[in-house]
Amino acid sequence: MAIVESVGKIPLQDPPEEEFGASDLTWTKFGTAEHHDVVALIPYDRVDAFIIGECSNVECPTRFHIERGRKRTIGSLKEYKDDEYLEYRLYWCSFGPENYGEGGGILPSRRYRLNTRNRAARPQSMRGCTCHFVVKRLYARPSLALIIYNERRHINKSGFICHGPLDRDAIGPGAKKIPYICNEIQQQTMSMIYLGIPEENILEKHIEGIQRYCGSDAKVSSLASQYVHKLGMIIKRSTHELDLDDQASIRMWIERNRKSVFFHQDTSESDAFILGIQTEWQLQQMIRFGHRSVIAADSTFGVKRLKYPLFTLLVFDSRQHALPVAWVITRSFAKPDVSKWLKALIDRARSVEPGWKVSGFLIDDAATEIDLLRDIFCCPVLFSLWRVRRSWLRNIVKKCSNIEVQREIFKRLGTIVYSIWGGINTAHALEQFMLDFVDQTAFMEYFKASWLPKLEMWLSTMRNSQLGSQEASGALEAYHVKLKAKLFDDSHLGALQRVDWLVHKLTTELHSSYWLDRYADESDSFQNVKEKYILSTSWHRALQIPDYAVTLDDRDHLFAKVVSQKDSSLLHLVWNPGSEFAFCDCSWSMQGNLCKHVVKVNMICENLKGYQPSMSFRSFEEVLMDLWRKPVDDSFALDLSLACTHQMLDQIQKLVELNNSTDIGTVVNNMPLKWVSKKSRTYIGKPSSNLALPHGSSNTKSVVVHKKNRKRKRLTRLR
């Protein structure tokens, strides 16, 4: 917005509405670069219509009173500027400027309290509102009025909304009549509103929840309807901009949402900005699904498009779907900074559950500080291939036009990755790969710039780490796709460089979406939401494809055909079956995603001869072989490796038996008994055990000393 230095250059506006407000006007910056105001020029006889329109603001209904005023007579000024006033009036929201609430007081410059009769809807509630504007009747043009809006938002000095429907503390006089609404019902209603479910369906589910506590009542239904409508209005009109300055806005959000922030470090000369977000519900899910299980990371999301990249910690829920349990917004991934917020997160979990422990940490970036994760979580670190696979496939499809060339390039890259256990010279294989596809200029330029300098690091991480499964890759990719769809919508492109917008999207829409998914699955409600949630990963979609829909090339094992479940006349061709780098010609795969056809084909191939095992199984096999190999001149190390191998195999067999069993009781009955040394209860006059007495003892009563239960005796006296 350009700055205007003359009133003559400000456009005159006269809205056709009988009453209008600030949102109906186009505002102009007036003044100099060092000091300017936001102004609008209207006819003087429309000032009352403007004030009435501002008082009728739906978000913050109020009244405005004249806080200060001055007048001049025509001819009193011999020389004057074009913005000099004939009449000057400062209008202030009647919920301020004083604050008679908690921590407030009368303005020190005011010796008396203004008469508040008929000033506002709650005249006794002066909340320190800072909303105010100035109306200048121009000296040079008395028929015009210059409106200077100093503060349009109805907030107090702390930056919080202090009255109206958006005010969290504005309960109102009818609070005792409002039916009980627990956090679960409120979160359910909010989640449905964020997902865009029609208000009639939201109201129906909301009333069902309330009737569990209040019973069926016409008045309850009426109040519930008002509540749903009001909550929908608040959500639709809420904004992420608590302040025009992004840093000030995010500080205000942190001050307001302390319970959802587990770590915060502001920007300074020596420190980078770090914001760790975890709601109470996310903390519960992390403790529930992360204990003795695997935690995963979706790292460096939005490096090129967001102001600060987003790092997500995820757990795998009861259906092995990736569930976000913490978000970290920062540009710094230095070891000291990562250590700070990781320790803060673990301390928060252990403050609730002291014995909370992680069994494994799954990463997707080879640049991650693996040693730091091992030291902090005290668990093995696994590596997922989904990010490498997705990046290569997307750019192959994008930069190579021939589908046969696309298949071959993807297969050759997979061969290079598989060669980490084959003793093949990686440098020679890469050189031969670039010579064979030298004519694919666009892709080779991308590969040389983005991957060639760091490929050895990625291959080394794959070689030295246990690789994640195909199911885990599908779950992580499903979260990544959903996050990208929520954040990179075309309507939000202008806000990507604001942290407050990112925080608002994460804690409202994305959080509510996952909450409703889990609620629908566990309560067996919202069947359409539940079905969509179950089939949100490629692994679960692949389970819907029957085995007879897959036809393999039994001779050369070059491809597989999968019959489409929607259209039986349509076949999808999967090249390089059995490999993580299989290539499918369906539309979902051509976008770089791991599709259900590839997953299904690999499920079938893993049990057939002639197909290479998956990389996760191959890496697991390498771990077992390393344990099994006889150490050189070290017999005790051999004993230790055999013991570890048998212990691991025993745990795997039990886990496989548990997963394949349909009756948990059968598994429990087959388990060996475990004798626990536990002191049994003793009773008055009865020995706890006679087995320890010598056989030659003739008088048992003389050996056993009878002690009365003093504790029980004291309790009986109190009755």
Side-chain angles (χ1 to χ4, degrees), residues 551-580:
T551 306
L552 298 173
D553 174 23
D554 295 329
R555 188 179 65 178
D556 299 322
H557 301 165
L558 294 178
F559 61 87
K561 296 178 180 179
V562 184
V563 179
S564 173
Q565 299 304 295
K566 295 180 179 179
D567 184 3
S568 58
S569 63
L570 181 63
L571 285 176
H572 294 291
L573 205 60
V574 178
W575 286 83
N576 194 22
S579 168
E580 274 87 344

mmCIF file of all heavy atoms in Angstrom, residues 551-580:
data_model
loop_
_atom_site.group_PDB
_atom_site.id
_atom_site.type_symbol
_atom_site.label_atom_id
_atom_site.label_comp_id
_atom_site.label_asym_id
_atom_site.label_seq_id
_atom_site.Cartn_x
_atom_site.Cartn_y
_atom_site.Cartn_z
ATOM 1 N N THR A 551 -1.733 -60.579 -11.371
ATOM 2 C CA THR A 551 -1.147 -61.570 -12.271
ATOM 3 C C THR A 551 0.326 -61.258 -12.436
ATOM 4 O O THR A 551 0.692 -60.128 -12.794
ATOM 5 C CB THR A 551 -1.836 -61.548 -13.647
ATOM 6 O OG1 THR A 551 -3.252 -61.707 -13.471
ATOM 7 C CG2 THR A 551 -1.291 -62.649 -14.534
ATOM 8 N N LEU A 552 1.191 -62.244 -12.188
ATOM 9 C CA LEU A 552 2.636 -62.044 -12.240
ATOM 10 C C LEU A 552 3.213 -62.599 -13.535
ATOM 11 O O LEU A 552 2.657 -63.519 -14.147
ATOM 12 C CB LEU A 552 3.309 -62.717 -11.043
ATOM 13 C CG LEU A 552 2.927 -62.200 -9.654
ATOM 14 C CD1 LEU A 552 3.552 -63.073 -8.577
ATOM 15 C CD2 LEU A 552 3.368 -60.752 -9.482
ATOM 16 N N ASP A 553 4.351 -62.038 -13.909
ATOM 17 C CA ASP A 553 5.115 -62.549 -15.046
ATOM 18 C C ASP A 553 6.014 -63.669 -14.525
ATOM 19 O O ASP A 553 7.091 -63.412 -13.971
ATOM 20 C CB ASP A 553 5.945 -61.413 -15.653
ATOM 21 C CG ASP A 553 6.867 -61.893 -16.753
ATOM 22 O OD1 ASP A 553 6.572 -62.948 -17.343
ATOM 23 O OD2 ASP A 553 7.894 -61.219 -16.999
ATOM 24 N N ASP A 554 5.566 -64.910 -14.675
ATOM 25 C CA ASP A 554 6.278 -66.037 -14.069
ATOM 26 C C ASP A 554 7.592 -66.363 -14.772
ATOM 27 O O ASP A 554 8.454 -67.026 -14.191
ATOM 28 C CB ASP A 554 5.386 -67.282 -14.071
ATOM 29 C CG ASP A 554 4.150 -67.096 -13.191
ATOM 30 O OD1 ASP A 554 4.266 -66.346 -12.195
ATOM 31 O OD2 ASP A 554 3.094 -67.682 -13.494
ATOM 32 N N ARG A 555 7.755 -65.920 -15.986
ATOM 33 C CA ARG A 555 8.951 -66.308 -16.730
ATOM 34 C C ARG A 555 10.146 -65.411 -16.403
ATOM 35 O O ARG A 555 11.174 -65.870 -15.934
ATOM 36 C CB ARG A 555 8.664 -66.266 -18.235
ATOM 37 C CG ARG A 555 9.803 -66.848 -19.071
ATOM 38 C CD ARG A 555 9.471 -66.821 -20.545
ATOM 39 N NE ARG A 555 9.355 -65.455 -21.050
ATOM 40 C CZ ARG A 555 9.099 -65.153 -22.313
ATOM 41 N NH1 ARG A 555 8.877 -66.128 -23.193
ATOM 42 N NH2 ARG A 555 9.015 -63.889 -22.695
ATOM 43 N N ASP A 556 10.001 -64.102 -16.623
ATOM 44 C CA ASP A 556 11.134 -63.185 -16.428
ATOM 45 C C ASP A 556 11.002 -62.311 -15.183
ATOM 46 O O ASP A 556 11.937 -61.577 -14.844
ATOM 47 C CB ASP A 556 11.276 -62.270 -17.653
ATOM 48 C CG ASP A 556 11.557 -63.069 -18.918
ATOM 49 O OD1 ASP A 556 12.298 -64.058 -18.818
ATOM 50 O OD2 ASP A 556 11.024 -62.693 -19.977
ATOM 51 N N HIS A 557 9.832 -62.332 -14.552
ATOM 52 C CA HIS A 557 9.595 -61.524 -13.339
ATOM 53 C C HIS A 557 9.820 -60.033 -13.591
ATOM 54 O O HIS A 557 10.332 -59.328 -12.735
ATOM 55 C CB HIS A 557 10.511 -61.983 -12.191
ATOM 56 C CG HIS A 557 10.328 -63.412 -11.820
ATOM 57 N ND1 HIS A 557 11.237 -64.110 -11.046
ATOM 58 C CD2 HIS A 557 9.347 -64.321 -12.120
ATOM 59 C CE1 HIS A 557 10.823 -65.349 -10.876
ATOM 60 N NE2 HIS A 557 9.676 -65.497 -11.529
ATOM 61 N N LEU A 558 9.424 -59.587 -14.784
ATOM 62 C CA LEU A 558 9.657 -58.182 -15.125
ATOM 63 C C LEU A 558 8.514 -57.272 -14.689
ATOM 64 O O LEU A 558 8.747 -56.105 -14.379
ATOM 65 C CB LEU A 558 9.861 -58.046 -16.644
ATOM 66 C CG LEU A 558 11.107 -58.702 -17.214
ATOM 67 C CD1 LEU A 558 11.137 -58.533 -18.733
ATOM 68 C CD2 LEU A 558 12.366 -58.107 -16.596
ATOM 69 N N PHE A 559 7.305 -57.794 -14.666
ATOM 70 C CA PHE A 559 6.159 -56.938 -14.378
ATOM 71 C C PHE A 559 5.051 -57.752 -13.727
ATOM 72 O O PHE A 559 5.097 -58.985 -13.647
ATOM 73 C CB PHE A 559 5.641 -56.273 -15.658
ATOM 74 C CG PHE A 559 5.172 -57.246 -16.703
ATOM 75 C CD1 PHE A 559 3.861 -57.730 -16.714
ATOM 76 C CD2 PHE A 559 6.042 -57.705 -17.694
ATOM 77 C CE1 PHE A 559 3.431 -58.634 -17.660
ATOM 78 C CE2 PHE A 559 5.613 -58.618 -18.652
ATOM 79 C CZ PHE A 559 4.306 -59.081 -18.634
ATOM 80 N N ALA A 560 4.030 -57.026 -13.272
ATOM 81 C CA ALA A 560 2.820 -57.638 -12.724
ATOM 82 C C ALA A 560 1.632 -56.798 -13.169
ATOM 83 O O ALA A 560 1.746 -55.581 -13.358
ATOM 84 C CB ALA A 560 2.886 -57.708 -11.203
ATOM 85 N N LYS A 561 0.487 -57.445 -13.323
ATOM 86 C CA LYS A 561 -0.732 -56.755 -13.720
ATOM 87 C C LYS A 561 -1.745 -56.817 -12.577
ATOM 88 O O LYS A 561 -1.943 -57.874 -11.972
ATOM 89 C CB LYS A 561 -1.341 -57.392 -14.974
ATOM 90 C CG LYS A 561 -0.456 -57.285 -16.211
ATOM 91 C CD LYS A 561 -1.101 -57.971 -17.411
ATOM 92 C CE LYS A 561 -0.208 -57.867 -18.640
ATOM 93 N NZ LYS A 561 -0.828 -58.548 -19.820
ATOM 94 N N VAL A 562 -2.356 -55.645 -12.310
ATOM 95 C CA VAL A 562 -3.335 -55.553 -11.234
ATOM 96 C C VAL A 562 -4.640 -55.036 -11.828
ATOM 97 O O VAL A 562 -4.667 -53.972 -12.461
ATOM 98 C CB VAL A 562 -2.861 -54.618 -10.105
ATOM 99 C CG1 VAL A 562 -3.865 -54.620 -8.960
ATOM 100 C CG2 VAL A 562 -1.486 -55.037 -9.604
ATOM 101 N N VAL A 563 -5.723 -55.788 -11.604
ATOM 102 C CA VAL A 563 -7.036 -55.385 -12.102
ATOM 103 C C VAL A 563 -7.601 -54.300 -11.189
ATOM 104 O O VAL A 563 -7.605 -54.439 -9.961
ATOM 105 C CB VAL A 563 -7.998 -56.582 -12.150
ATOM 106 C CG1 VAL A 563 -9.377 -56.155 -12.658
ATOM 107 C CG2 VAL A 563 -7.427 -57.690 -13.022
ATOM 108 N N SER A 564 -8.076 -53.225 -11.795
ATOM 109 C CA SER A 564 -8.662 -52.130 -11.022
ATOM 110 C C SER A 564 -9.936 -52.588 -10.324
ATOM 111 O O SER A 564 -10.749 -53.312 -10.907
ATOM 112 C CB SER A 564 -8.967 -50.940 -11.939
ATOM 113 O OG SER A 564 -9.670 -49.938 -11.240
ATOM 114 N N GLN A 565 -10.122 -52.161 -9.063
ATOM 115 C CA GLN A 565 -11.309 -52.555 -8.304
ATOM 116 C C GLN A 565 -12.525 -51.706 -8.675
ATOM 117 O O GLN A 565 -13.661 -52.107 -8.419
ATOM 118 C CB GLN A 565 -11.020 -52.416 -6.808
ATOM 119 C CG GLN A 565 -9.875 -53.291 -6.330
ATOM 120 C CD GLN A 565 -10.093 -54.761 -6.649
ATOM 121 O OE1 GLN A 565 -11.021 -55.386 -6.124
ATOM 122 N NE2 GLN A 565 -9.268 -55.327 -7.524
ATOM 123 N N LYS A 566 -12.294 -50.537 -9.257
ATOM 124 C CA LYS A 566 -13.405 -49.679 -9.672
ATOM 125 C C LYS A 566 -13.885 -50.016 -11.075
ATOM 126 O O LYS A 566 -15.070 -49.928 -11.370
ATOM 127 C CB LYS A 566 -12.974 -48.210 -9.603
ATOM 128 C CG LYS A 566 -12.666 -47.728 -8.188
ATOM 129 C CD LYS A 566 -12.255 -46.259 -8.190
ATOM 130 C CE LYS A 566 -11.970 -45.779 -6.779
ATOM 131 N NZ LYS A 566 -11.541 -44.354 -6.756
ATOM 132 N N ASP A 567 -12.943 -50.389 -11.937
ATOM 133 C CA ASP A 567 -13.277 -50.703 -13.326
ATOM 134 C C ASP A 567 -12.525 -51.970 -13.715
ATOM 135 O O ASP A 567 -11.301 -51.944 -13.911
ATOM 136 C CB ASP A 567 -12.886 -49.534 -14.230
ATOM 137 C CG ASP A 567 -13.288 -49.763 -15.681
ATOM 138 O OD1 ASP A 567 -13.912 -50.806 -15.972
ATOM 139 O OD2 ASP A 567 -12.969 -48.898 -16.526
ATOM 140 N N SER A 568 -13.212 -53.092 -13.790
ATOM 141 C CA SER A 568 -12.563 -54.382 -14.040
ATOM 142 C C SER A 568 -11.914 -54.464 -15.421
ATOM 143 O O SER A 568 -11.067 -55.327 -15.658
ATOM 144 C CB SER A 568 -13.583 -55.515 -13.884
ATOM 145 O OG SER A 568 -14.676 -55.328 -14.779
ATOM 146 N N SER A 569 -12.305 -53.579 -16.320
ATOM 147 C CA SER A 569 -11.695 -53.588 -17.653
ATOM 148 C C SER A 569 -10.359 -52.850 -17.693
ATOM 149 O O SER A 569 -9.663 -52.873 -18.702
ATOM 150 C CB SER A 569 -12.652 -52.946 -18.669
ATOM 151 O OG SER A 569 -12.890 -51.577 -18.333
ATOM 152 N N LEU A 570 -9.984 -52.223 -16.566
ATOM 153 C CA LEU A 570 -8.757 -51.423 -16.509
ATOM 154 C C LEU A 570 -7.675 -52.209 -15.786
ATOM 155 O O LEU A 570 -7.890 -52.744 -14.702
ATOM 156 C CB LEU A 570 -9.020 -50.102 -15.787
ATOM 157 C CG LEU A 570 -7.845 -49.133 -15.664
ATOM 158 C CD1 LEU A 570 -7.379 -48.669 -17.039
ATOM 159 C CD2 LEU A 570 -8.230 -47.932 -14.805
ATOM 160 N N LEU A 571 -6.480 -52.285 -16.413
ATOM 161 C CA LEU A 571 -5.328 -52.968 -15.829
ATOM 162 C C LEU A 571 -4.237 -51.954 -15.511
ATOM 163 O O LEU A 571 -3.971 -51.038 -16.296
ATOM 164 C CB LEU A 571 -4.771 -54.023 -16.789
ATOM 165 C CG LEU A 571 -5.561 -55.327 -16.953
ATOM 166 C CD1 LEU A 571 -4.903 -56.198 -18.013
ATOM 167 C CD2 LEU A 571 -5.640 -56.076 -15.637
ATOM 168 N N HIS A 572 -3.600 -52.140 -14.346
ATOM 169 C CA HIS A 572 -2.445 -51.319 -13.973
ATOM 170 C C HIS A 572 -1.192 -52.186 -14.049
ATOM 171 O O HIS A 572 -1.160 -53.300 -13.531
ATOM 172 C CB HIS A 572 -2.607 -50.760 -12.556
ATOM 173 C CG HIS A 572 -3.747 -49.792 -12.427
ATOM 174 N ND1 HIS A 572 -3.736 -48.547 -13.012
ATOM 175 C CD2 HIS A 572 -4.935 -49.898 -11.785
ATOM 176 C CE1 HIS A 572 -4.863 -47.921 -12.724
ATOM 177 N NE2 HIS A 572 -5.605 -48.717 -11.985
ATOM 178 N N LEU A 573 -0.158 -51.659 -14.681
ATOM 179 C CA LEU A 573 1.081 -52.386 -14.904
ATOM 180 C C LEU A 573 2.115 -51.951 -13.874
ATOM 181 O O LEU A 573 2.408 -50.756 -13.737
ATOM 182 C CB LEU A 573 1.594 -52.118 -16.320
ATOM 183 C CG LEU A 573 2.490 -53.180 -16.950
ATOM 184 C CD1 LEU A 573 1.758 -54.507 -17.058
ATOM 185 C CD2 LEU A 573 2.958 -52.711 -18.324
ATOM 186 N N VAL A 574 2.663 -52.919 -13.132
ATOM 187 C CA VAL A 574 3.684 -52.652 -12.113
ATOM 188 C C VAL A 574 4.987 -53.294 -12.571
ATOM 189 O O VAL A 574 5.092 -54.525 -12.656
ATOM 190 C CB VAL A 574 3.269 -53.213 -10.736
ATOM 191 C CG1 VAL A 574 4.369 -52.974 -9.710
ATOM 192 C CG2 VAL A 574 1.965 -52.589 -10.274
ATOM 193 N N TRP A 575 5.990 -52.455 -12.862
ATOM 194 C CA TRP A 575 7.300 -52.941 -13.296
ATOM 195 C C TRP A 575 8.221 -53.090 -12.097
ATOM 196 O O TRP A 575 8.082 -52.399 -11.102
ATOM 197 C CB TRP A 575 7.917 -51.982 -14.315
ATOM 198 C CG TRP A 575 7.251 -52.069 -15.660
ATOM 199 C CD1 TRP A 575 6.121 -51.447 -16.052
ATOM 200 C CD2 TRP A 575 7.681 -52.851 -16.763
ATOM 201 N NE1 TRP A 575 5.797 -51.779 -17.339
ATOM 202 C CE2 TRP A 575 6.755 -52.656 -17.812
ATOM 203 C CE3 TRP A 575 8.758 -53.705 -16.998
ATOM 204 C CZ2 TRP A 575 6.867 -53.264 -19.048
ATOM 205 C CZ3 TRP A 575 8.880 -54.318 -18.240
ATOM 206 C CH2 TRP A 575 7.931 -54.093 -19.252
ATOM 207 N N ASN A 576 9.182 -54.025 -12.229
ATOM 208 C CA ASN A 576 10.151 -54.308 -11.162
ATOM 209 C C ASN A 576 9.430 -54.769 -9.895
ATOM 210 O O ASN A 576 9.643 -54.212 -8.809
ATOM 211 C CB ASN A 576 11.014 -53.076 -10.880
ATOM 212 C CG ASN A 576 12.238 -53.393 -10.052
ATOM 213 O OD1 ASN A 576 12.694 -54.543 -10.002
ATOM 214 N ND2 ASN A 576 12.773 -52.386 -9.380
ATOM 215 N N PRO A 577 8.550 -55.787 -9.988
ATOM 216 C CA PRO A 577 7.773 -56.222 -8.818
ATOM 217 C C PRO A 577 8.677 -56.803 -7.728
ATOM 218 O O PRO A 577 9.729 -57.376 -8.001
ATOM 219 C CB PRO A 577 6.834 -57.289 -9.395
ATOM 220 C CG PRO A 577 7.533 -57.792 -10.614
ATOM 221 C CD PRO A 577 8.273 -56.623 -11.180
ATOM 222 N N GLY A 578 8.225 -56.656 -6.495
ATOM 223 C CA GLY A 578 8.979 -57.159 -5.357
ATOM 224 C C GLY A 578 9.974 -56.182 -4.789
ATOM 225 O O GLY A 578 10.575 -56.434 -3.744
ATOM 226 N N SER A 579 10.162 -55.049 -5.452
ATOM 227 C CA SER A 579 11.141 -54.051 -5.017
ATOM 228 C C SER A 579 10.437 -52.814 -4.473
ATOM 229 O O SER A 579 9.318 -52.484 -4.887
ATOM 230 C CB SER A 579 12.044 -53.661 -6.188
ATOM 231 O OG SER A 579 12.817 -52.518 -5.870
ATOM 232 N N GLU A 580 11.099 -52.114 -3.519
ATOM 233 C CA GLU A 580 10.575 -50.828 -3.059
ATOM 234 C C GLU A 580 10.553 -49.800 -4.182
ATOM 235 O O GLU A 580 9.851 -48.798 -4.111
ATOM 236 C CB GLU A 580 11.431 -50.288 -1.902
ATOM 237 C CG GLU A 580 11.037 -50.806 -0.530
ATOM 238 C CD GLU A 580 11.728 -52.119 -0.203
ATOM 239 O OE1 GLU A 580 12.255 -52.754 -1.127
ATOM 240 O OE2 GLU A 580 11.720 -52.521 0.975
#
